[in-house]
């Protein structure tokens, strides 16, 4: 017997984006990640779905997936300061503070937060 299909993957890219945002805003992060995973793969050249996917992974404690997605984002968009910040925070949550520090410093510098 086939597994039941869900409506998560149904509709246009715009409809799936709106659905993912609704799940994210409702703090249903794991469900938002399910919708966003396919959407981000479909449009890898768009930053917004990939960044929201990384955030959904982070908030649903899928930290290894968040790290992987954030590294992919930064490979393509190295000046994305929010991705730098998120990667630093993700690495901190993974207990890798020394590895997180350069990303956090870079994110701060990119945002104009310089230590006095």
């Amino acid at each position: 017997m086939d597994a039941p299909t869900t409506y998560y993957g149904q509709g246009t890219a715009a409809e799936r984006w709106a659905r993912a945002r609704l799940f994210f805003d409702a703090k249903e992060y794991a469900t938002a990640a399910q919708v966003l995973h396919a959407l981000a793969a479909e449009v890898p050249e768009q930053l917004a779905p990939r960044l929201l996917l990384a955030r959904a992974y982070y908030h649903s404690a899928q930290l290894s997936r968040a790290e992987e997605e954030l590294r992919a984002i930064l490979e393509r968009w190295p000046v994305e300061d929010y991705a730098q910040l998120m990667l630093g925070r993700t690495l901190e949550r993974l207990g890798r503070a020394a590895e997180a520090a350069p990303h956090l410093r870079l994110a701060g510098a990119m945002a104009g937060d310089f230590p006095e």
Side-chain angles (χ1 to χ4, degrees):
M1 179 179 232
D2 292 329
T5 58
T6 63
Y7 68 92
Y8 301 156
Q10 303 294 320
T12 67
E15 290 168 338
R16 287 179 284 141
W17 170 251
R19 187 174 303 125
R21 293 289 316 204
L22 288 172
F23 281 121
F24 190 89
D25 292 344
K27 299 184 180 181
E28 295 288 337
Y29 302 118
T31 306
Q34 288 178 1
V35 178
L36 289 163
H37 178 76
L39 185 60
E42 187 178 314
V43 288
E45 69 282 355
Q46 292 187 11
L47 175 62
R50 297 187 73 182
L51 200 52
L52 191 60
L53 175 60
R55 291 177 63 201
Y57 284 149
Y58 178 87
H59 289 299
S60 62
Q62 299 179 62
L63 300 177
S64 295
R65 288 181 176 172
E67 177 187 2
E68 182 180 319
E69 188 62 34
L70 289 163
R71 288 189 187 281
I73 289 169
L74 289 170
E75 185 175 307
R76 187 166 188 145
W77 295 280
V79 295
E80 179 53 50
D81 63 322
Y82 188 66
Q84 290 284 355
L85 175 64
M86 280 190 58
L87 180 56
R89 296 289 184 234
T90 300
L91 293 170
E92 283 182 332
R93 282 185 69 186
L94 286 166
R96 295 160 44 194
E99 194 177 339
H103 295 285
L104 295 173
R105 280 194 307 273
L106 185 55
M110 292 169 97
D113 298 331
F114 299 103
E116 295 188 22

